[in-house]
Amino acid sequence: MKKLFITILTILALATPASATAQFQEIIKINGKEEGMTILPLSSYLEIPENAARFKPYLEQSGGCTALWRNYLGHWEIKDRKLYLTKFEVDACSRENKKFIPLDKLFPGKPQPVFAKWYSGNIVIPRGKLLEYVHMGYESRYERYLVMNIIKGVVVKEVTITDKEYQRRRRSL
């Protein structure tokens, strides 16, 4: 029963678009510049029970807050057209004391930073002026968005779209 409860909590924590508070964006470095992104590449990795089990003790350490239902903040980088996880931060709501978990504890035997070979999908990076703040998930609106299509950790396409185009296509991204 406890295992089922933890599984349900993990699924709910990863379902951030339905959350009732604006959520912290993951951090991604592209061409040396850090930006926020509104996609969670670790969520598909954590759907695998043995992966989730390795992360669980660290996620439980997080003090948590309504702006970070997933209890972690991933730090990412695009380098040579590949997506890498560079840092894993817990208790990110406590902005004074950053707490990073060494990646070799979470990905034993993998080179650091960790190549996100498990991830296929789009990465969405809001850019430009904030047009509308929405106090829910990643619903705030920006002037434009960089959308990168990733297949098995490799950037295969990228496009910048306007807010109007993003609103029209967002459910398919």
Side-chain angles (χ1 to χ4, degrees):
M1 185 64 148
K2 184 177 178 184
K3 187 174 183 179
L4 176 63
F5 179 72
I6 296 297
T7 301
I8 290 169
L9 282 179
T10 301
I11 290 167
L12 290 173
L14 296 174
T16 56
S19 58
T21 301
Q23 295 296 293
F24 288 166
Q25 296 178 358
E26 297 279 275
I27 297 168
I28 187 164
K29 186 186 286 187
I30 302 173
N31 299 323
K33 181 182 174 196
E34 286 190 349
E35 303 183 67
M37 72 174 171
T38 60
I39 299 295
L40 307 172
L42 267 175
S43 62
S44 60
Y45 185 82
L46 293 174
E47 288 173 1
I48 299 167
E50 57 268 20
N51 296 342
R54 269 196 317 280
F55 280 71
K56 181 183 167 192
Y58 304 106
L59 295 176
E60 291 173 343
Q61 293 177 20
S62 179
C65 66
T66 60
L68 196 61
W69 283 23
R70 63 190 181 276
N71 289 337
Y72 72 83
L73 191 61
H75 295 249
W76 304 85
E77 182 174 14
I78 298 288
K79 187 173 181 179
D80 299 325
R81 302 204 54 83
K82 292 182 178 177
L83 177 64
Y84 293 92
L85 178 64
T86 59
K87 296 178 190 171
F88 184 80
E89 183 178 357
V90 295
D91 206 16
C93 296
S94 171
R95 300 312 294 166
E96 299 87 37
N97 300 318
K98 291 186 177 234
K99 184 176 181 181
F100 295 97
I101 304 303
L103 292 178
D104 61 352
K105 290 183 184 277
L106 303 170
F107 299 90
K110 301 274 185 187
Q112 313 298 306
V114 177
F115 174 50
K117 184 179 180 179
W118 67 85
Y119 185 72
S120 290
N122 290 316
I123 286 179
V124 178
I125 301 163
R127 288 187 164 166
K129 181 179 155 191
L130 175 66
L131 300 175
E132 177 186 9
Y133 173 76
V134 179
H135 195 66
M136 186 169 127
Y138 296 116
E139 300 297 316
S140 293
R141 296 176 50 207
Y142 295 82
E143 285 181 306
R144 61 192 178 283
Y145 300 83
L146 172 63
V147 180
M148 303 175 96
N149 182 248
I150 311 282
I151 297 177
K152 294 186 178 180
V154 178
V155 178
V156 295
K157 182 179 178 182
E158 61 183 84
V159 63
T160 298
I161 59 176
T162 64
D163 174 63
K164 185 176 180 180
E165 178 70 7
Y166 178 72
Q167 296 306 319
R168 188 176 68 76
R169 296 174 44 190
R170 69 182 293 177
R171 297 298 172 210
S172 66
L173 292 177

